Amino acid sequence: MAHPTQLGFQDAASPLMEELLGFHDHALMIVFLISTLVLYIIIAMVSTKLTNKFILDSQEIEIVWTVLPAIILILIALPSLRILYLMDEINDPHVTVKAMGHQWYWSYEYSDYENLGFDSYMMPIQDLTPGEFRLLETDHRMVVPKESPIRVLVSAEDVLHSWAVPSLGMKMDAVPGRLNQTAFIVSRSGLFYGQCSEICGANHSFMPIVVEAVPLENFEKWSSLMLKDA
């Protein structure tokens, strides 16, 4: 969960988010080195005699500033493509959840169970208990087992929405008439908060997402209770 004065991303709660954080640091370091080099060259050319005719017409420098950016692009592209392929990998999911966006709430349907589904609305401020987050809590959470592959099918009933949970590295557009899919593995128990990340209307900021990761035995107890109440 984000906190005041925080710099950087939320703590990773999935292997995919750990990969994204690593790639972010990798790309940031490259940008930092480029910025330092360019700043040094600008200062050197202003304060020294580097602006003489030999430097300005140097074939060697032209080769360097042509080849070096190509190498930098390769160093960024290769890990980026690797993560893109990892994000598309969906191998033998243990649980499949269909997330449907509405104006302005989410509904969840557990496809592996016959009658397990519910709507998830934002919790009214007057119903919050101490320790809960305003505008982020929901009356029903999406409960999943930790350390298990979870597939999420995402769509929408009305307009464009986007199902996003930053600490899990998840962001998938919900498009009416189209079924998109993504997958994740939660590496630890806890509550992970997200929101619709597509401007979907007047109450766009009032359709939060709460993913609750629990041990497998707790998930089985929860699903049994939900099926009894259905």
Side-chain angles (χ1 to χ4, degrees):
M1 184 62 197
H3 56 79
T5 70
Q6 175 178 333
L7 294 176
F9 295 95
Q10 298 179 25
D11 291 338
S14 71
L16 178 59
M17 189 58 186
E18 292 175 3
E19 292 282 347
L20 291 171
L21 288 178
F23 175 70
H24 169 267
D25 295 341
H26 168 74
L28 189 63
M29 184 56 65
I30 292 176
V31 171
F32 175 75
L33 293 175
I34 292 173
S35 302
T36 303
L37 176 62
V38 171
L39 180 62
Y40 168 76
I41 292 174
I42 291 174
I43 294 173
M45 293 188 69
V46 170
S47 59
T48 68
K49 296 181 180 180
L50 286 177
T51 53
N52 60 45
K53 186 172 185 295
F54 172 74
I55 294 297
L56 292 179
D57 294 338
S58 172
Q59 185 70 32
E60 291 78 8
I61 290 181
E62 291 185 7
I63 293 174
V64 169
W65 72 41
T66 301
V67 174
L68 189 59
I71 296 174
I72 292 172
L73 287 176
I74 293 173
L75 292 176
I76 295 176
L78 292 180
S80 175
L81 290 172
R82 174 178 173 272
I83 294 176
L84 283 174
Y85 279 108
L86 285 176
M87 294 175 72
D88 284 337
E89 284 289 327
I90 302 177
N91 295 320
D92 191 25
H94 294 177
V95 177
T96 298
V97 184
K98 183 178 180 181
M100 185 71 69
H102 308 266
Q103 290 183 310
W104 285 274
Y105 64 96
W106 293 95
S107 61
Y108 298 102
E109 177 185 326
Y110 288 72
S111 304
D112 305 294
Y113 301 86
E114 188 172 350
N115 294 312
L116 181 49
F118 51 84
D119 295 330
S120 180
Y121 291 88
M122 185 186 74
M123 187 80 75
I125 296 176
Q126 62 271 19
D127 295 338
L128 294 175
T129 58
E132 294 184 334
F133 297 101
R134 185 177 70 91
L135 304 182
L136 287 177
E137 296 290 347
T138 60
D139 56 355
H140 291 90
R141 297 165 177 166
M142 175 180 159
V143 181
V144 297
K146 69 172 184 176
E147 299 176 345
S148 296
I150 310 298
R151 175 171 56 187
V152 184
L153 305 176
V154 184
S155 188
E157 285 268 342
D158 34 51
V159 299
L160 291 175
H161 298 280
S162 185
W163 195 86
V165 183
S167 56
L168 299 178
M170 289 290 103
K171 185 178 184 298
M172 180 58 67
D173 287 342
V175 183
R178 178 172 178 173
L179 200 62
N180 293 327
Q181 68 174 352
T182 185
F184 62 89
I185 298 175
V186 187
S187 26
R188 66 176 189 270
S189 300
L191 296 177
F192 308 102
Y193 296 88
Q195 292 176 297
C196 175
S197 296
E198 192 75 49
I199 299 177
C200 57
N203 292 329
H204 154 68
S205 57
F206 302 112
M207 50 182 305
I209 300 161
V210 182
V211 176
E212 182 176 0
V214 298
L216 181 58
E217 55 270 20
N218 292 10
F219 174 77
E220 291 174 344
K221 293 177 183 177
W222 172 83
S223 60
S224 299
L225 289 174
M226 292 293 290
L227 289 170
K228 287 180 181 178
D229 295 338

